[in-house]
Amino acid sequence: MCTGLAYTNDTFYFGRNLDLEYSLNNKVVVTPRNFPFKLRKEEELSSHYSIIGMAMVVDNYPLYFDAVNEKGLGMGGLNFDGFAVYHDEQKGKKNITPFEFILYLLGKCATVQEAKTLLKDINLINISFSEKLQLSPLHWLISDKDSSIVVESTSEGLQVYDNQFGVLTNNPSFPYHKYNMSNYLNLTANIPENRLSSKVDLAVYSRGMGAIGLPGDLSSPSRFVRAAYARLNSVADKTEQANVSQFFHILDFVAQPRGGAMAPEGIYEITQYSSCVSVEEQTYYYKTYENSQICAVSMQNLPLDSTDLFVYELEKEQAIHYTN
């Protein structure tokens, strides 16, 4: 289970929580402009936008979980188990595998509008990376500084939805999440008023009572509501440090501690990592379950016309500073 987030406060940020019961061998990876993207059914992309994000690197191929390109378009895949359907090849379509999808879209598109145009021709096909690495059932949050969309490949084909909330979690499908938000239209960050009846005198006795009814469980629909509430009511200074801090606080609002949600194998799902990409600074910020300190990798000074990947191991050891 996961939560994706797009956030604009003068400048644009994109990231997510990756919630899983097991750790993946993921790293921060920068794909430069001339790294050859070899596609299973389409022509190789030998030149494209540079990309920074979190990925597994297998056979020198970056399998991105979430990423942002140099133009400021962000994309992340989130679990969509039981709903995602990938298809056979179709003539007249761009037949892209789900593991190529982030690379392909971010390599070619600078904005959400460009992505929406390209998506009209895309068919996500049922071809796995390898016998050992089968396809994950996913849907995707795609965002730039102005707008967000959700892409879902279902039995009816590729569905594209405008997403005014700027967040995404997991199944059910996005139309359910959008409809479900109407159940919470009375939530407010303000001091609530007595709307029960003018016949009784009711007093506010605590701060935060306007959010009574905000769901607190870890299910996908509840995390969607919590993330949307936090994002849409966010207030932060318009500095890099303040925005990055606020972004991680929003993700913390829906993070999963060990022991809160058991997976079928009898182990617990946790937030393996949280990420935040600053488009203006071209920097990938992250923290892991083991290390709550914010770490960063920047591609500002890298030779982005290179043909080789830049791969960075995660800092997982907790850094605790003592004051005597």
Side-chain angles (χ1 to χ4, degrees), residues 42-60:
E42 302 296 331
E43 292 183 2
E44 175 182 298
L45 288 181
S46 57
S47 180
H48 45 76
Y49 296 129
S50 60
I51 298 168
I52 187 170
M54 191 74 78
M56 291 173 56
V57 179
V58 182
D59 298 332
N60 200 41

Side-chain angles (χ1 to χ4, degrees), residues 21 23 26 36 56 70 73 76 102 116 133 180 191-192 202 217 253 266 278 291 315:
E21 62 271 25
S23 178
N26 45 288
M56 291 173 56
E70 62 182 293
L73 184 65
I102 290 179
K116 291 172 80 170
L133 283 176
N180 183 52
I191 299 172
L202 299 174
D217 63 88
F253 204 52
S278 169
N291 181 11
E315 298 287 342

Side-chain angles (χ1 to χ4, degrees), residues 116-129:
K116 291 172 80 170
T117 300
L118 188 65
L119 286 165
K120 294 176 182 178
D121 295 325
I122 288 180
N123 174 45
L124 291 182
I125 55 176
N126 189 22
I127 295 179
S128 298
F129 184 81

